[in-house]
Amino acid sequence: MHHSNDYYLNNPLIHSNRDLKNHASNWVQSFNCEDFNPLIICRGPIRKEVMDVLDEMGIKHYGILLSEKDSITYTNALAPELRKLTDPSRVHRVPDYSGATKEERAARIQQIIAIANSNGYNAIFAGYGFMSEDAEMVEGMERAGLTFIGPGSFTQRSAGMKDQAKRTALATGVSVTPGVNNATSLALIAKYGDDGLEACAKEHKLAVDFAACKDEEEKALALLAASYNAGIDIISAADIGKALQVEAKRMLTEKPNNRFRLKAIAGGGGKGQRILKSANSYEGASLAEKVEKAAEKVPALVLECLIELKTNGVGDNKNVLIEMNIDTTRHQEIQVVGNGDWCITMGGRDCSLQMHEQKLLEVSVTEEELQTAIAAAEAANNAAETTQLKKDLDILRKMEHEAAVFGKAVKLNSVGTFECIVDGDAHYFMEMNTRIQVEHRVTELCYKLKFANPDKPSEFFIAESLVEVMVLIAKHGKRLPEPQRLPREPASVEARLNATNQALQPHAGGMIEKWSDAIEGEVRDDQGISMHNPDTDVFMKYHLAGAYDSNIALLLTTGQTRLDSYQRLAEVLRRTTLRGKDLATNLEFHYGLVNWFIGNNINARPSTGFIVPYLTAVGQLKAAANQIDLNYAYGQIRVNYLSDCDEAHKSGFIQSLDRKQSLLLRPIQHLFEQPHNLAGWLSLNQQHFSISEQGLQWHKNPIELLAEAYHYLHMDYVEGKPAANMIWSHDHELLQKALSFYNTLQQRLTVNSFAELEAALAGDRPALIDEAQWQAAIAAHAGFQAGTEILGLLPYIAQQTDFFQLVVNDDLSITIPAALTDGELQAAMAKVLVPPPAASSDEILALSGGMYYACEAPGMPPFIEKGHHFKQGDPLYIVEVMKMFNKVYAPFSGTIDAIFVETDGSIIKKGQKLFKITPDEVVVVETPEQVQQRMREHTNAFLHSL
C-alpha cells in the first residue's frame, strides 16, 4: 500500500537493507547480528530509530520498555511506536524508565534484568537520556550476562563522570577548561583534616587501602569510593558547597570579570549546571566585598545542581565541578567510534546555537566542507573569512586527534562524543558523553564506515547508521576491523522541533491534530508520531504530555554546501504545517533563525550566548509591530492618494487601492503576528531596500517582493486549500496580472532592475512603443504600485529597532549590540513574545503548566509564606516542565495574602491563580481609547517617514 507519508517511512538517506546474512562473502556474513535480541529501554525519537535499524539488520526479536506516563497517564499519549510494534508480548510496562531516587533506580535496574531474562533478550539498548550513562546500570547488566549496546562500564567510569574524565584528559595531554574537579576531596580533607581520613574510615567501618595511595588526594578519592559502595555519606552537600565556596573566592578574585560554571559530574544536556555571576557584576566598595557577594551564592547553586539530577541522596556521588565559563565560546563536539582496540573519529558538529544549555540547531563540521568553504572564500577575495575558516580547519584536526587519543585511553568500545568549547584559536575539552547523542544523524549523514577484510580487502560492507555500528561493536567487539571513514553528503544540519513557546519556554500539554507529510530530502526523526493510521492513511492526533523532555522531532537536511543544507532546511520548515489544540512549538523560531543566517552568512560563528540576544531583537520587532494600527495606516495612505490626484484619476485610484487592501495587508499582518517569520523575511530581503534621509528606496519591485512574501509564508495559491492559509483567489488573480505586466514591460524596455524600470517610465517614450501603449503602461504601473507604500512598514520597524545592528562581521564573528545583552530588556522582550496570562492587580498566575514546588529542596524553607513581603526579582516558586526546573521570580514587589497551591508536586496549569497579593504599587491599566491613541501616534510617525 502506498502511503502519503512515504518520505517519512522510506527515506533512502536513513533507511536501507542492513541485513548481512545473504551477502556473497562468508566473511561479511559472519558479522550478521540476527541472533541478537535487544531490549530497548529508552524513549523518544531514538527508540523508533533503533526499531527501524534492528528490522533492517534482520533482528526480529526485540522489545521495548513502556512507562505509564507514555501509555496510560495521558489521553492520546500512547507511545506511537506501538503502531509499528504490534506484538504485545514485546512491550513491557514499567512505572517510569529510571526512577526518581537512588533506590528506585536500583529497583528499575533489577526489573529490567528480570524482564530481559524472562523474555529471551540478551542485550540492552539505552539510547540517550535516562540511564544511558549510568555506570552502575551498565555494570549491573554486565554482571547479569547481558550485552550493553554502548560503552562498557570501564569507559563509563573513566569518561562518563566529569571529574574522572578531566583527570584522564590531563593525563593524556588533552586541553581542558581551567577549574576545580575535586570538590568532594577538598570537602573531605577540610572536614577531617589530612590526618583524619583514616580515622573517618575507621569510624564508618570502611575498608580502604591507604598504603596504596600516593598522596592525600588519592586517599580522599579512595575513601569516597568506599563510602559510595557502602551507600553512606561521609560528607554532605553543604560540606561540598563550603569547599567550592573557598575555591570560588580564589577564582573570582583572580578573574573578577569572568563568570564560572558549576556542573554536577553526572549531568548532561545542560541539566545539573548553574552559572555563578562574575564578581564585578555586584556592587561593592572593594573587590573583596564583590567577591564575597558573588561567592555567597555557591552553596545554594551546588544544591540546585544536585537536586536537578536527583543525586543529593544518601550515598550518591555529589561531586560538583567549577570551571571558568568562557562567554564567547562556541560549542563543538567530535563523534568518536571505537571497539576497545582501535578508535577513530567521524568529524565534528557545531552545537553553539543553544539556550539554557539546550541545543537547538546543530551543524556538521567536516574537513571536506571547510575546504570547500575556504576555496569559495578565497575565490571571492574574502580574506578575513578565509583566515577564520582556516583556523577552524586547524582546530577541527586538533580536536579530532585529541578525541581519538582520549577514546583509546578510556577503551571506548562503542560510540561517544568528545565535547569541546572553542574560544578564538584555542579549544578546551569539556566532557565525553558515553552514549549516542541526540544529534548523531548530523554526522552519519556526512560519513559512513567501510569495514573490510584485512586479509582480502575486496570483501567489505558499509555501515551508514551509528546505531548499526553500535550493534555491530556490541555483538562482534574486537573482531570488528578498524573501518575506513568515507564521505556521504558534504553538509548536514539539524533543527530540534520542541514543544516551546515563541520565547523558547517549555509548553507542555498541547495536542497535535495535524502534521503535514515529510517532503523529499527531509529527514524527520520522531517517536512515530508521523506514522499514519495503517488502515486509513490519516494522521493520528498526539498529546504532548510533558512527562519527559520537550523534544517532538528532529528535522534534518543535507546539501552540497552549508548554504545548500540551510536552504533545504528552510524549505522543509516553510512547508511544515503543525496544528492542534493548545499547541506551541519552536517551528517559527527555527524558520526565522535559519533564514537569518541565510540572509547574513551561513558561515557565521555564533557563540553559545547568541540566542538570547537574538530572541531579544525579535521581541523588539514584535514590540514595534504591536504599536502599529495597520488598517489605519492603509486608510491614511488611501486618503493621501486621493487628496493628491485630480478628479479624472480619483475613481481609478479608489478602485485600485480598495481591490488591493487584503492583498497587501494579509502578509504584513501575518509577519506582525509571527515576529520570528518577520526576522527571517527582513534578513533575506535586506539587500532589496535602503533607508536614508530621503526615505525608503526599494531596489526590487515591491510587487515581486509581495509575491515572494506569500511564498515565504507558505500562502501560495493552491486549489482546494483553506482560504485562511493561502492568498485569496481574487488577490491571486490580481497579483499574477501585475507580475505578468512587469515581466512583459521589462522585456519590452530591456531593463534588468526596478531602478532601471522606474527611470525608463519617467523618461521619454521608446520608439518601438506607441503613445497609447506608453500612457497605458505608465497608468498601469501607477495603479499596481498604489498602496505598496504600506510594505515600507517592514523595513521601517527594522530600522526603528536597530535590527540590522545584529550583524555578521567579515571574520565571521557576530556583533551583538550591548542593548541586546541587558537582562531587563531580555526579560521584557520575552514577555512581549509570550504575554503573561491576564491577571488582576491583586493576584499572580502561573506562567506555564508543570509541577509546582514551593521550596528549593525537600526539608528547606519555602520561598514565600502567607504574610511574607517579597521584592521584585525574588524567587516565588519552582515549576518543573519537561524535566527542566525553572525558578519563577516576582514581577513586582508586594505582600502574600494567600497561597492557593497547598502541596509540593502539585500539577498546575498556565493561567492558574497561585497567590493573592497586595502590590506595593497600584498598576495603572490603559483604556482602549488610550491604546488607540498611542498606536496612532506611532503609526503617524511611520506615515510621516513616507
Side-chain angles (χ1 to χ4, degrees):
M1 173 182 176
H2 174 76
H3 291 271
S4 61
N5 207 10
D6 205 46
Y7 288 121
Y8 171 79
L9 298 171
N10 301 294
N11 189 333
L13 285 170
I14 58 172
H15 297 296
S16 67
N17 182 1
R18 310 178 199 277
D19 193 343
L20 302 180
K21 68 175 180 291
N22 296 319
H23 199 279
S25 162
N26 290 332
W27 181 85
V28 172
Q29 285 184 28
S30 72
F31 292 99
N32 173 38
C33 298
E34 65 178 350
D35 60 341
F36 227 24
N37 304 320
L39 175 63
I40 304 166
I41 64 171
C42 53
R43 71 176 302 281
I46 187 66
R47 179 162 66 190
K48 166 69 165 50
E49 178 187 347
V50 174
M51 291 166 66
D52 287 343
V53 170
L54 294 179
D55 283 336
E56 292 161 359
M57 294 180 75
I59 298 171
K60 299 304 179 186
H61 183 70
Y62 61 82
I64 66 171
L65 285 192
L66 186 64
S67 85
E68 292 177 359
K69 293 175 184 176
D70 254 346
S71 58
I72 62 173
T73 305
Y74 300 93
T75 307
N76 294 111
L78 184 68
E81 298 94 331
L82 298 186
R83 302 169 197 167
K84 174 183 173 71
L85 184 60
T86 56
D87 181 357
S89 69
R90 292 158 60 191
V91 179
H92 309 282
R93 299 181 185 276
V94 291
D96 198 6
Y97 293 102
S98 57
T101 66
K102 185 177 182 179
E103 291 73 25
E104 285 184 17
R105 288 200 305 274
R108 189 72 67 249
I109 291 170
Q110 293 308 310
Q111 186 179 10
I112 291 168
I113 291 171
I115 290 171
N117 288 336
S118 60
N119 290 275
Y121 302 118
N122 56 16
I124 302 294
F125 192 99
Y128 44 74
F130 299 124
M131 295 187 287
S132 58
E133 294 180 278
D134 189 325
E136 291 181 16
M137 189 271 286
V138 177
E139 286 176 347
M141 300 300 158
E142 292 171 347
R143 283 195 302 270
L146 298 169
T147 300
F148 184 71
I149 304 175
S153 58
F154 179 86
T155 302
Q156 297 283 0
R157 294 285 185 195
S158 303
M161 293 298 186
K162 292 176 172 56
D163 52 353
Q164 182 57 44
K166 288 194 77 170
R167 285 190 281 270
T168 303
L170 287 166
T172 54
V174 170
S175 305
V176 298
T177 313
V180 173
N181 59 27
N182 61 339
T184 47
S185 302
L186 294 171
L188 187 64
I189 293 170
K191 184 172 182 177
Y192 293 97
D194 291 344
D195 301 327
L197 299 183
E198 293 188 29
C200 173
K202 187 174 181 180
E203 176 190 345
H204 294 282
K205 299 184 174 120
L206 298 173
V208 181
D209 185 4
F210 288 111
C213 302
K214 64 184 180 184
D215 54 27
E216 295 305 309
E217 172 71 14
E218 282 200 5
K219 289 180 181 179
L221 289 173
L223 179 54
L224 286 164
S227 73
Y228 303 146
N229 291 333
I232 64 171
D233 277 350
I234 53 177
I235 54 171
S236 65
D239 296 327
I240 297 165
K242 188 184 294 184
L244 276 181
Q245 196 171 35
V246 173
E247 296 302 315
K249 287 179 181 179
R250 174 181 59 79
M251 297 167 77
L252 288 162
T253 302
E254 291 173 357
K255 295 186 177 294
N257 292 317
N258 268 91
R259 301 193 304 166
F260 294 87
R261 183 182 296 272
L262 294 157
K263 299 163 62 174
I265 61 166
K271 294 180 182 178
Q273 302 187 22
R274 292 293 185 272
I275 294 295
L276 179 65
K277 292 165 65 174
S278 68
N280 280 340
S281 67
Y282 289 88
E283 298 292 332
S286 65
L287 176 59
E289 185 181 341
K290 294 177 182 179
V291 166
E292 284 293 331
K293 288 182 178 179
E296 183 184 344
K297 308 288 185 184
V298 171
L301 294 175
V302 167
L303 192 58
E304 285 184 32
C305 292
L306 296 172
I307 289 170
E308 189 161 88
L309 292 174
K310 299 183 173 71
T311 54
N312 59 323
V314 175
D316 284 338
N317 185 342
K318 301 177 180 66
N319 199 8
V320 175
L321 282 61
I322 182 169
E323 299 174 341
M324 185 170 70
N325 192 68
I326 303 175
D327 292 303
T328 57
T329 184
R330 287 152 54 203
H331 181 168
Q332 297 200 348
E333 58 191 32
I334 303 298
Q335 181 65 60
V336 193
V337 181
N339 74 341
D341 279 348
W342 49 259
C343 187
I344 66 166
T345 59
M346 296 179 67
R349 301 181 286 258
D350 192 304
C351 307
S352 302
L353 291 168
Q354 53 182 262
M355 182 174 171
H356 304 321
E357 318 299 330
Q358 298 298 304
K359 299 169 185 174
L360 295 163
L361 194 79
E362 295 114 335
V363 192
S364 62
V365 182
T366 66
E367 285 201 29
E368 294 84 355
E369 193 276 327
L370 281 170
Q371 287 167 343
T372 299
I374 289 168
E378 288 177 334
N381 294 316
N382 293 333
E385 183 167 335
T386 301
T387 299
Q388 181 58 52
L389 291 168
K390 287 182 175 179
K391 286 180 183 178
D392 287 343
L393 180 58
D394 182 56
I395 290 171
L396 173 64
R397 287 169 173 164
K398 288 177 180 177
M399 288 192 298
E400 289 207 67
H401 170 73
E402 290 185 4
V405 169
F406 185 87
K408 199 151 191 175
V410 299
K411 297 182 173 60
L412 178 67
N413 59 340
S414 188
V415 302
T417 305
F418 186 82
E419 300 217 23
C420 298
I421 53 177
V422 177
D423 183 37
D425 297 341
H427 71 280
Y428 304 96
F429 169 67
M430 194 164 49
E431 62 192 31
M432 172 169 265
N433 284 321
T434 48
R435 56 174 168 82
I436 195 164
Q437 290 282 87
V438 174
E439 61 272 18
H440 65 278
R441 289 260 202 224
V442 173
T443 290
E444 68 181 40
L445 289 170
C446 290
Y447 289 118
K448 55 190 175 183
L449 296 180
K450 177 181 179 181
F451 294 91
N453 186 343
D455 300 321
K456 191 177 180 182
S458 61
E459 295 183 326
F460 65 87
F461 63 94
I462 302 291
E464 294 182 339
S465 159
L466 283 172
V467 169
E468 177 186 11
V469 171
M470 292 176 72
V471 174
L472 287 164
I473 294 173
K475 179 72 170 68
H476 300 288
K478 295 186 177 182
R479 187 173 158 263
L480 204 64
E482 181 173 346
Q484 178 186 2
R485 181 177 92 181
L486 299 175
R488 287 186 72 193
E489 299 287 328
S492 65
V493 59
E494 171 181 283
R496 297 196 189 190
L497 182 65
N498 295 333
T500 57
N501 60 28
Q502 297 294 292
L504 302 189
Q505 299 155 344
H507 182 96
M511 179 78 75
I512 302 177
E513 296 176 333
K514 165 68 177 175
W515 192 348
S516 55
D517 294 336
I519 66 172
E520 185 175 6
E522 172 187 352
V523 174
R524 182 188 296 179
D525 269 336
D526 63 16
Q527 272 188 260
I529 301 170
S530 296
M531 293 176 66
H532 292 180
N533 183 305
D535 298 320
T536 63
D537 193 28
V538 171
F539 179 83
M540 299 170 69
K541 62 184 179 180
Y542 181 73
H543 187 181
L544 299 169
Y548 300 106
D549 63 57
S550 64
N551 184 242
I552 301 170
L554 310 169
L555 306 178
L556 297 98
T557 53
T558 63
Q560 292 303 303
T561 62
R562 180 173 288 189
L563 176 59
D564 188 22
S565 68
Y566 270 59
Q567 288 173 332
R568 291 184 185 184
L569 180 58
E571 180 63 6
V572 166
L573 296 168
R574 185 187 74 85
R575 292 172 60 180
T576 297
T577 301
L578 265 171
R579 296 199 190 95
K581 183 179 179 182
D582 190 29
L583 180 65
T585 75
N586 62 351
L587 179 66
E588 291 83 7
F589 159 78
H590 277 303
Y591 190 45
L593 181 70
V594 169
N595 281 303
W596 187 91
F597 278 100
I598 293 172
N600 286 282
N601 189 334
I602 44 78
N603 286 323
R605 272 30 187 173
S607 75
T608 53
F610 172 78
I611 290 296
V612 175
Y614 170 80
L615 275 179
T616 305
V618 175
Q620 288 181 306
L621 291 176
K622 177 61 174 170
N626 288 346
Q627 303 294 338
I628 299 297
D629 186 332
L630 193 54
N631 287 306
Y632 169 75
Y634 193 76
Q636 290 302 112
I637 289 172
R638 183 180 185 277
V639 168
N640 291 341
Y641 262 101
L642 299 183
S643 63
D644 290 343
C645 72
D646 54 45
E647 286 297 326
H649 295 98
K650 187 169 289 188
S651 62
F653 273 118
I654 290 175
Q655 183 181 15
S656 175
L657 288 164
D658 290 349
R659 279 195 67 190
K660 282 192 295 185
Q661 182 167 348
S662 60
L663 172 66
L664 289 165
L665 296 194
R666 285 186 71 220
I668 300 174
Q669 187 67 48
H670 182 102
L671 290 169
F672 277 12
E673 291 171 357
Q674 295 288 349
H676 288 295
N677 290 350
L678 175 56
W681 186 90
L682 288 168
S683 302
L684 287 175
N685 290 284
Q686 57 188 303
Q687 75 275 20
H688 296 321
F689 53 77
S690 59
I691 300 177
S692 63
E693 292 181 359
Q694 286 72 43
L696 171 68
Q697 182 177 359
W698 293 107
H699 306 307
K700 187 171 185 175
N701 192 333
I703 295 297
E704 292 180 28
L705 289 174
L706 181 64
E708 291 170 5
Y710 273 101
H711 179 74
Y712 171 82
L713 295 171
H714 196 34
M715 295 174 69
D716 306 282
Y717 182 79
V718 178
E719 193 73 40
K721 188 176 179 180
N725 302 326
M726 68 171 181
I727 186 172
W728 291 340
S729 57
H730 60 278
D731 287 338
H732 173 67
E733 292 172 7
L734 179 58
L735 183 58
Q736 293 305 309
K737 183 177 179 181
L739 291 170
S740 177
F741 164 75
Y742 282 113
N743 182 53
T744 301
L745 187 60
Q746 283 188 212
Q747 291 179 13
R748 293 285 301 273
L749 297 178
T750 63
V751 296
N752 297 312
S753 70
F754 186 57
E756 290 177 356
L757 176 68
E758 290 203 301
L761 289 170
D764 296 333
R765 174 177 63 84
L768 297 178
I769 300 178
D770 64 39
E771 183 63 25
Q773 287 180 321
W774 184 241
Q775 293 303 320
I778 292 173
H781 172 63
F784 284 131
Q785 292 297 317
T788 59
E789 293 88 348
I790 196 71
L791 295 173
L793 268 170
L794 304 175
Y796 172 80
I797 285 174
Q799 183 197 41
Q800 292 298 303
T801 61
D802 290 329
F803 180 72
F804 294 124
Q805 297 301 307
L806 186 67
V807 63
V808 178
N809 303 312
D810 291 342
D811 66 354
L812 302 181
S813 63
I814 299 176
T815 294
I816 298 177
L820 298 180
T821 65
D822 178 75
E824 290 186 6
L825 179 64
Q826 291 174 347
M829 291 305 101
K831 289 182 179 179
V832 168
L833 290 172
V834 185
S840 302
S841 60
D842 64 346
E843 61 188 20
I844 291 179
L845 308 183
L847 295 177
S848 70
M851 193 170 288
Y852 173 95
Y853 297 98
C855 57
E856 193 78 67
M860 295 186 69
F863 293 116
I864 54 171
E865 296 179 285
K866 184 177 178 181
H868 174 88
H869 182 268
F870 58 88
K871 295 180 180 179
Q872 182 178 357
D874 284 353
L876 297 177
Y877 64 98
I878 290 173
V879 60
E880 182 184 3
V881 189
M882 294 180 162
K883 290 299 183 183
M884 295 301 292
F885 290 82
N886 305 283
K887 198 174 285 184
V888 179
Y889 299 93
F892 49 79
S893 301
T895 301
I896 300 291
D897 299 325
I899 299 174
F900 299 113
V901 184
E902 296 181 357
T903 58
D904 267 5
S906 298
I907 300 298
I908 59 174
K909 296 182 178 180
K910 181 179 179 180
Q912 179 177 332
K913 186 189 295 186
L914 302 179
F915 313 114
K916 180 175 173 53
I917 53 97
T918 299
D920 287 359
E921 297 179 10
V922 178
V923 178
V924 178
V925 179
E926 279 186 300
T927 65
E929 293 76 18
Q930 289 172 324
V931 171
Q932 183 184 64
Q933 178 63 27
R934 170 172 49 78
M935 291 181 68
R936 290 197 171 180
E937 287 176 3
H938 284 276
T939 307
N940 285 331
F942 159 69
L943 294 169
H944 180 72
S945 73
L946 297 177

